[in-house]
Amino acid sequence: MDALAIQQIRQFNRTVTEGIGALHDRFLGRARPLGEARLLWEIGPEGAEVRALRSRLGLDSGYVSRLLRSLQRQRLARVRVDPGDRRVRRADLTRAGLAERAELDRRANDLALHILEPLSEHHRAALVAAMTEVERLLQASMVHVAVEDPTTPDARWCLEQYSAELDDRFDAGFDPALSIPADAHELVPPAGAFFIARLRERPVGCGALKLHRDAPAELKRMWIAPAARGLGVGRRLLQELERHAREAGAAVLRLETNHALTEAIALYRRSGYLEVDAFNDEPYAHHWFEKRLSRNHRRRRSVARTAE
Amino acid sequence: MDALAIQQIRQFNRTVTEGIGALHDRFLGRARPLGEARLLWEIGPEGAEVRALRSRLGLDSGYVSRLLRSLQRQRLARVRVDPGDRRVRRADLTRAGLAERAELDRRANDLALHILEPLSEHHRAALVAAMTEVERLLQASMVHVAVEDPTTPDARWCLEQYSAELDDRFDAGFDPALSIPADAHELVPPAGAFFIARLRERPVGCGALKLHRDAPAELKRMWIAPAARGLGVGRRLLQELERHAREAGAAVLRLETNHALTEAIALYRRSGYLEVDAFNDEPYAHHWFEKRLSRNHRRRRSVARTAE
DNA sequence: CGAATTCTCTGACTATAGTCAGAGAATGGA
DNA sequence: TCCATTCTCTGACTATAGTCAGAGAATTCG
């Protein structure tokens, strides 16, 4: 694997963590312990349920309880019982707490300004552009794909997004009732599988398989959130779907699609799918594709694996 | 100031610290406390003086002493008296310590690999390129310029680099003895000033002023380390020199230079210097420049100040 | 030579950032 | 209705990452 690339990433990590990290401490000014500051920030102007704070920050319930008491003692936050469910508490910020949060916000801005300030206009623009690029690609690298239950709220959300997008892009709109169904019960083992691609817990794409004993497997419901497009998420999702289908014993994976979905069609072609005659009567489809899943495609823990 | 740029930098900081930070902890595996791991790394294969470790890591002497004892108990390091000066101790790694350090190195590589692994070749190359760019520009932004004593080892080193570079680039080489002198005693207040540009303590450039009561100030000994070129360090150094000359009462700043120094000449022209007739008999000079230092050029704490 | 300085170590102390095991109150489901 | 679950809090405990004030040995400076 490319040793130079690895060295560059390590160098980048050093520069960013030491450089920005040191600045961060100087600007965010460790006047307040980090835990309190994070909590103060996370409560936000609207307030939040204590249990939500706990899960968002990944902290122990006892610890959050004590941090909140400390914020209360400093008259920065209030904690009250939720009238709806009297087990849960809601935290919100006092005027002083809001001011303190605004101050944190201001300091974070100052930090960014302090980085830009010494640079010329030209270099500033270059830095912001390069940062945008690094951030996008890091996010791409942090996307994980996993089989999930198609009935969870996240899964339903993805499927709704999928339908809404088709409705928006198809010339005649999209009514799931007129299309060949792929209901939840068909997308759980052993009949099929439902995959969600997530970026830090948030769903950014989905895809599903319908498995048929000896007949080709079918690829359904593939969708990538607009914000995650162009990052290779579709390619990775497709690879996972193919791997799953292969491991489930399918020799061929096939799919139908609409001519409005140009990026998807390009992805399928790029990934080795060949256009074939219509193999079903899906009313929204214009193209039918299939791909033979090679059996000997070993899954090695090597980087070369994902090379295009 | 550009609010979008600031938002982008904040977003970048979040993604990088949360994304890479989380990975960092997972890979570097908090099996060993961070303090010990840093020290183990810093001792290095060659060993190091304890006082050097202290200053490099910026740690308290008592703390380092205890950390070292802990490493000794784990048979990872040895501490011995320096035979030359029996007050100082040297630490070095045992075989086990070296193995542990190699393991840290391996894990840092794995972290980098883990970031690259999910990406396509195309996206990998783009990420590495963008990281290189961010790192370069962040470094540019971390350069600081300050007046320093021209007799310190760092100052001498800069001046040697300066001479060596001229000797290398001038057609006929460069012999300081034949050039108009600018000795250390001329480069301290009130006769003049010597500036060093530093990136994290390491010198990456220098420049000097000779001040003459009512005559124009002279710019001398300007040099930028090859690794720091193209980052705007020269421009910032020049701005500092001009500011200092202006504040010392000079109305005009002038300089002579050799035609081999094309980037320097371009910088001077870009910065408002006008070519004038020879005002001295410097044997190595081909061009003479001067710039009128405007008095009313207020130094505002605004970003616009450094715009080109 | 004697005084000041340098380098390291020890003891005593602190703050931060947690973890874990209950306990009590409120709620939801059978 | 009652049992399990959810939500929060308290007390007791831990590890990490330091800081500070000497003290003792070695060295350097005037």
Side-chain angles (χ1 to χ4, degrees), chain A residues 77-78 134 192 222 234 239:
Chain A
R78 276 184 301 262
V134 167
M222 184 141 159
Q239 283 176 350

Side-chain angles (χ1 to χ4, degrees), chain B residues 50-51 54 61 66 69 87 89:
Chain B
V50 170
R51 60 181 175 182
R54 232 174 14 231
S61 115
R66 262 178 275 264
R69 249 218 329 261
R87 286 171 304 182
R89 315 276 146 116

